[in-house]
Amino acid sequence: IFNLIYYFYILYFFIMKKASLLIDCQDHLGEGVLWSNTDQTLYWLDVPMPSKLHRLHLPTNKHDTFDMPEMITAMSVRPSGDLLIASHHGINNFSFEKKELTKILDIEPDLPNNRCNDGASDAKGRFWIGTMQNNISPEATDIEITKNSGNLYCVNHDLSFKKFESDIGVSNTLAWSPDNTKFYFTDTLTGIIFSYDFDLEKGEISNKQEFAKHNRGYPDGSTVDSEGGLWSCRWGGSSVIRFDPNGKVDEIVEVPVESVTSCTFGGENLDTLFITTARWGMTQEQIDNKPNAGGLFSVKPGVTGVADNQFGG
């Protein structure tokens, strides 16, 4: 029995890792974390109004924030150094030089009660974006989700776009396998992460399959590592779970707050996992007990990641 207990202790020690607080930014709903290999900079955002964009230049540890005129939800770096930003009302360009958010595309003019949610660029520079019924008021309070009005789109370089999924409650987890043959996506409300066959040249998805499900929280944002593992942030689950390419759990990173929202690999060697969190929906007493909720966390999980792609347009 002693040997068995010792074995499980060693197994727990090596498999269970803990993330540490990097920046106590106290975001209401931290999201959309993105690494730019080009300028060694980490970007993430705080969704509810007053919405803001964070920029952390890792070599100098310089941290800036930029106020946004509407809720922003996902991003991709552009070749110019500007950001493509999905927001409440569409797709925008953000110029750091002008400090200005300019709308360039409205993908759902016929669905005024929807908003953008998670998004990412594929290896050919197309931007994939999911939408959902807006659940956040201008006063940063909850609005009940009453219908699955969300959709999944692919935005091309020329800003033309195509719908690939509909009837989505909360769109999340837009990620690709390292060889670009698989696409991962979830409707958080289902608790299921799905995989699709991905045609990189055509920008098409097909053959939807259930990939992974876990009873610890709900799947939020995700990223992949160089070995094909999918790292899934768990809303309400105080963790980031790594699913191997077959959808089996093989590592768990503990995060000392409840709502874990988004993650990406970054740093000079792509060996650090950066993790955003939220204090959305927490009472003051709960915040007092978990004061780092809404902070930016990091961990070195012992594997390298895949660099985030840029938008090609």
Side-chain angles (χ1 to χ4, degrees), residues 87-266:
S87 70
H88 188 171
H89 299 295
I91 308 296
N92 312 265
N93 181 78
F94 180 72
S95 165
F96 286 102
E97 182 180 353
K98 298 178 180 178
K99 296 181 174 58
E100 187 173 84
L101 189 74
T102 306
K103 182 183 285 188
I104 57 177
L105 177 63
D106 188 349
I107 57 175
E108 292 187 330
D110 55 332
L111 296 172
N113 294 321
N114 268 14
R115 68 169 175 86
C116 292
N117 201 45
D118 203 4
S121 290
D122 67 24
K124 289 290 186 180
R126 311 175 193 93
F127 187 65
W128 294 71
I129 181 68
T131 63
M132 61 179 286
Q133 182 183 351
N134 179 40
N135 63 335
I136 301 175
S137 77
E139 296 75 34
T141 57
D142 251 323
I143 299 174
E144 183 183 2
I145 296 175
T146 59
K147 55 186 176 181
N148 291 356
S149 62
N151 303 286
L152 173 67
Y153 300 93
C154 175
V155 180
N156 298 306
H157 298 178
D158 62 1
L159 302 183
S160 63
F161 59 94
K162 180 178 179 180
K163 183 194 296 186
F164 281 95
E165 289 280 21
S166 56
D167 301 316
I168 298 164
V170 179
S171 54
N172 268 310
T173 294
L174 286 83
W176 292 264
S177 61
D179 63 3
N180 293 300
T181 62
K182 294 292 181 182
F183 172 70
Y184 301 103
F185 181 70
T186 187
D187 179 345
T188 295
L189 299 185
T190 69
I192 301 169
I193 299 173
F194 295 97
S195 69
Y196 302 72
D197 292 338
F198 183 64
D199 187 322
L200 176 62
E201 294 305 315
K202 294 180 180 178
E204 301 273 347
I205 57 174
S206 61
N207 191 28
K208 181 179 180 180
Q209 303 282 333
E210 182 173 327
F211 171 71
K213 189 173 184 179
H214 198 276
N215 60 8
R216 189 165 176 178
Y218 291 86
D220 204 319
S222 294
T223 193
V224 296
D225 62 39
S226 58
E227 298 175 358
L230 182 79
W231 296 79
S232 170
C233 293
R234 311 303 293 186
W235 178 269
S238 302
S239 60
V240 183
I241 296 176
R242 183 187 191 265
F243 297 100
D244 71 15
N246 297 313
K248 304 298 182 185
V249 177
D250 69 354
E251 191 161 334
I252 297 176
V253 171
E254 300 290 336
V255 185
V257 301
E258 185 175 350
S259 297
V260 184
T261 55
S262 178
C263 63
T264 196
F265 281 93

